Amino acid sequence: MDFRLLGPIEAKRGGGATIPLSGSKVHTVLAALLLSEGRVVSDARLSALLWGWDPPATASAQIYTYMSRLRKHLGEEIEIVRRQPGYVLRAPGAWIDLTEFTRLDRLGREALADRRFEEAGELLRDALDLWRGTALANATEQMIEAELPPLEEARMIALESRIEADLAVGRHEQVTAELTGLVAEHPVRERLRAQLMTALYRCGRQADALHTYYEGRAVLADQLGVDPGEALGSTYQAVLGGGLGLASAAPPASAAEGVPAAAAVPAGRAAPSTLPAPYGEFTGRGAELAALRERLTREDGRPRRLLVTGMAGVGKTALAVRAAQDCAARFPDGQLYVELCHPDGAPKEPAEVLVRLLRALGEPPPAAAAQDLEELVRLYRTRTSGARLLLVLDGAVGDRQVAPLLPGGPEAAVLITSQARLARVAGADTTALTPVDDDEAMELLASLVGRDRLEADPDAADDLVAYCAGLPLALSVTGARLAARPHWPVARLAARLADPEGRLAELAYGDVSVREALVHCVRRVGGPELATLTGLADWDGEPFSAQYAALVLGTAEEEAESALDALVDGALMELSGLDAQGRPLYRCNDLVRLLAASLTTRDAFPSALR
């Protein structure tokens, strides 16, 4: 007799004929007896698996009936015996797929521990082949809820072990697609994510491997409130340090015409590449992208220090990463990306960033030097001397943070994003991003949602563009929400965004929030600037002068102008030309005004007031 639990519950005679068993409750009783492995299953246990917390008054009689049916269908070779306080099944010589799975899984993991990787892979593949779908598929809901989780966990452990064996014998290309799907299905399983990072790295996709880590770190924090564990953290460090067994040399000079061979990457070590993976299709900013590419690849001997600046959510990081990816072949000694702020917006110390950069370059500093900024700068400049390296510094808060991170020679190029302008970057090398116009906004939204869907309701599409105030981050969130809800008409989301008081709350999806991005900027301003911003929150959006602001705020014009200029420097205001007397005019983005309107009291936003 053969019994199968790893899929729909079935009983088969030796010749292969399936025994007809009707109803989920009979299947549940059979599965309960088989899962007990020869132990008594009590009436109370059977009742819970059949009816949950609300058994009928005739539960004992019905259980007796189900047992009688099983005895009749299974025949004399299977014995179901009444033994207080329940029943026990005796099936000498029967084959049970779960028992065979457990045996093969144990042997496979023993072989894996002994480094017999080929044998381990075969055993674990055989174990997993026994699964025909979801285990206990035709049982009661109560049994599935109680018994399926441990079975699924055993299957996942066997699957992870089989993938580990495949990676050990060099099958990274074959398992990458499988792992990508598994990580999407099980985003908090750290072992699977670490295995995907390993496979991507060995396929030469270091940037994708790091993106997989960053994505996992965000998911763990959001869903579980924890940091990555040892398996994921050590894999991340191995990617940074080139310790995952990828034994390729630096990219050849032929990758970029006219570029000399790299001398800064030691022989046998892969050039580091930590640029993040692109997020969807890059739309718009054609002129700015072309200018950045031209400046990054110039060969005139002058230092290449480029700055992309603008308000939060305007697309600085997307533009910088795209430019770096387009020019990567011109920097054969590596392309490094580092975030200069923590997830809560607090700036990172230069020493912390230098430690990360040195690890990525394959030169982790001694523990004694980890807090010595001068020694870290010396090690970093020595390591990067003469290197054709591209460095992306994302989210700089000021010159003091950036200065220690700049390589010494002109061979390296540095691309910085910041909401503030930096004194160390010349005006000619500064790209100031402003919110996109309506046409570019519609193109970006169409790339995320589909043009046909927007053209089906053009008025609602125009409203969405208006509510996003030209901010690519807001447009991306809006597009992501619509894409995730294909049954929604565009007008439904437009109606939800129409209310100014709730608009910022609606402009959030997953762990991306326009409000949070703007809040990080506001937390960096001083008291006078915050008072100016909140005091002007009710202004209608038209450009205004410092004189007008002084009248509204009840302050001197010089004080108002000083606060407005500081807000411009912090990318919370923008200059909008001159008035008839030649005085500067200021303007505030609509979404910033909505945020400011909610910050008018200490109770509304105490952390922004210092």
Side-chain angles (χ1 to χ4, degrees):
M1 185 75 70
D2 292 351
F3 294 104
R4 302 174 187 270
L5 302 175
L6 303 180
I9 302 162
E10 292 180 353
K12 291 189 174 186
R13 301 204 183 277
T18 301
I19 298 173
L21 300 174
S22 60
S24 63
K25 290 186 168 56
V26 171
H27 286 99
T28 297
V29 169
L30 175 59
L33 294 171
L34 292 169
L35 288 170
S36 71
E37 299 179 330
R39 296 185 296 273
V40 174
V41 183
S42 69
D43 291 347
R45 175 64 175 165
L46 289 168
S47 176
L49 294 175
L50 289 167
W51 298 286
W53 296 101
D54 190 24
T58 59
S60 296
Q62 291 190 47
I63 291 173
Y64 177 85
T65 300
Y66 298 142
M67 295 298 175
S68 297
R69 290 181 188 173
L70 280 176
R71 291 190 186 102
K72 177 181 177 181
H73 286 301
L74 297 179
E76 295 181 357
E77 61 182 296
I78 302 300
E79 188 178 8
I80 299 176
V81 179
R82 175 67 176 174
R83 179 175 295 173
Q84 292 296 337
Y87 296 85
V88 64
L89 182 145
R90 295 171 180 164
W95 182 89
I96 304 173
D97 60 357
L98 177 58
T99 303
E100 181 66 4
F101 167 80
T102 303
R103 184 184 72 86
L104 292 170
D105 176 48
R106 175 178 53 79
L107 293 174
R109 286 197 277 155
E110 287 176 356
L112 185 64
D114 293 339
R115 304 183 64 81
R116 293 179 278 120
F117 300 120
E118 287 284 3
E119 180 184 351
E122 291 300 321
L123 287 165
L124 292 163
R125 258 184 287 277
D126 291 341
L128 292 164
D129 286 345
L130 294 170
W131 285 72
R132 298 168 292 115
T134 303
L136 311 174
N138 51 352
T140 61
E141 179 182 344
Q142 291 81 7
M143 165 162 264
I144 291 174
E145 183 178 347
E147 299 291 350
L148 181 59
L151 295 177
E152 280 292 331
E153 180 62 20
R155 184 181 73 86
M156 290 303 301
I157 292 174
L159 181 59
E160 290 169 343
S161 299
R162 192 226 81 208
I163 292 172
E164 184 176 332
D166 286 343
L167 288 172
V169 296
R171 296 196 181 103
H172 41 272
E173 292 182 350
Q174 292 91 327
V175 301
T176 299
E178 178 187 12
L179 278 167
T180 300
L182 288 169
V183 168
E185 185 179 357
H186 307 280
V188 298
R189 288 194 77 94
E190 296 189 51
R191 188 180 179 191
L192 280 177
R193 191 173 291 274
Q195 289 173 334
L196 177 57
M197 291 174 63
T198 301
L200 290 170
Y201 182 87
R202 291 177 181 171
C203 290
R205 297 168 59 186
Q206 297 96 323
D208 290 344
L210 289 170
H211 173 67
T212 299
Y213 171 79
Y214 298 137
E215 179 185 65
R217 182 177 64 184
V219 168
L220 289 168
D222 182 54
Q223 296 190 17
L224 304 178
V226 298
D227 292 325
E230 175 62 26
L232 198 54
S234 61
T235 305
Y236 170 68
Q237 294 299 330
V239 171
L240 293 180
L244 283 180
L246 185 64
S248 61
S254 59
E257 184 178 354
V259 178
V265 178
R269 177 184 293 166
S273 178
T274 62
L275 295 177
Y279 291 90
E281 181 180 354
F282 184 84
T283 304
R285 305 292 194 194
E288 293 90 343
L289 179 60
L292 283 176
R293 286 191 298 223
E294 180 182 356
R295 291 168 184 164
L296 283 172
T297 56
R298 72 189 181 199
E299 299 286 347
D300 56 7
R302 292 186 294 125
R304 288 167 288 184
R305 307 285 186 262
L306 310 182
L307 173 65
V308 180
T309 187
M311 66 178 293
V314 81
K316 303 182 294 295
T317 300
L319 176 62
V321 169
R322 176 57 184 267
Q325 290 167 338
D326 288 353
C327 299
R330 303 295 294 269
F331 298 92
D333 291 333
Q335 310 89 42
L336 300 182
Y337 169 90
V338 63
E339 295 175 331
L340 299 187
C341 287
H342 295 285
D344 63 357
K348 294 179 181 178
E349 291 297 326
E352 176 186 353
V353 178
L354 285 170
V355 169
R356 289 183 176 272
L357 288 171
L358 285 165
R359 285 175 179 166
L361 291 165
E363 300 287 347
Q371 301 299 322
D372 187 340
L373 181 58
E374 290 186 7
E375 178 62 12
L376 289 170
V377 171
R378 185 192 68 79
L379 292 170
Y380 174 66
R381 298 236 166 106
T382 300
R383 176 64 181 83
T384 58
S385 177
R388 298 186 62 84
L389 184 73
L390 175 57
L391 177 62
V392 180
L393 301 176
D394 189 23
V397 297
D399 287 280
R400 285 188 178 181
Q401 185 189 37
V402 168
L405 310 178
L406 300 177
E411 296 86 359
V414 183
L415 183 52
I416 308 164
T417 72
S418 176
Q419 288 157 18
R421 292 181 179 258
L422 301 178
R424 291 181 175 273
V425 179
D429 287 331
T430 297
T431 301
L433 296 185
T434 58
V436 298
D437 61 29
D438 288 352
D439 290 340
E440 287 182 306
M442 192 66 74
E443 284 295 321
L444 175 56
L445 201 55
S447 71
L448 297 167
V449 178
R451 188 171 302 279
D452 291 345
R453 194 170 172 193
L454 297 180
E455 290 178 349
D457 193 345
D459 291 339
D462 288 341
D463 289 341
L464 287 182
V465 167
Y467 296 147
C468 291
L471 207 60
L473 180 63
L475 291 160
S476 297
V477 168
T478 299
R481 291 191 66 185
L482 284 174
R485 296 165 175 81
H487 57 286
W488 273 22
V490 174
R492 177 169 182 175
L493 184 55
R496 296 177 69 147
L497 292 173
D499 179 12
E501 293 186 2
R503 188 172 304 159
L504 287 174
E506 292 288 342
L507 289 174
Y509 185 73
D511 59 356
V512 180
S513 165
V514 173
R515 177 184 173 85
E516 284 303 309
L518 297 175
V519 160
H520 293 332
C521 305
V522 174
R523 283 178 177 156
R524 297 190 187 123
V525 303
E529 290 80 17
L530 180 62
T532 299
L533 184 67
T534 56
L536 297 170
D538 292 333
W539 179 232
D540 61 8
E542 292 298 316
F544 58 90
S545 66
Q547 184 181 35
Y548 173 83
L551 290 172
V552 172
L553 299 169
T555 62
E557 183 175 346
E558 293 78 6
E559 292 180 18
E561 184 169 3
S562 175
L564 289 169
D565 287 342
L567 290 170
V568 169
D569 291 338
L572 289 166
M573 286 275 182
E574 58 187 71
L575 291 172
S576 184
L578 302 174
D579 65 9
Q581 288 74 41
R583 294 173 300 192
L585 293 173
Y586 301 87
R587 186 181 178 280
C588 186
N589 182 274
D590 288 346
L591 296 179
V592 176
R593 288 195 303 110
L594 291 180
L595 176 68
S598 70
L599 310 184
T600 53
T601 68
R602 181 174 295 272
D603 290 336
F605 192 53
S607 60
L609 304 176
R610 303 182 180 186

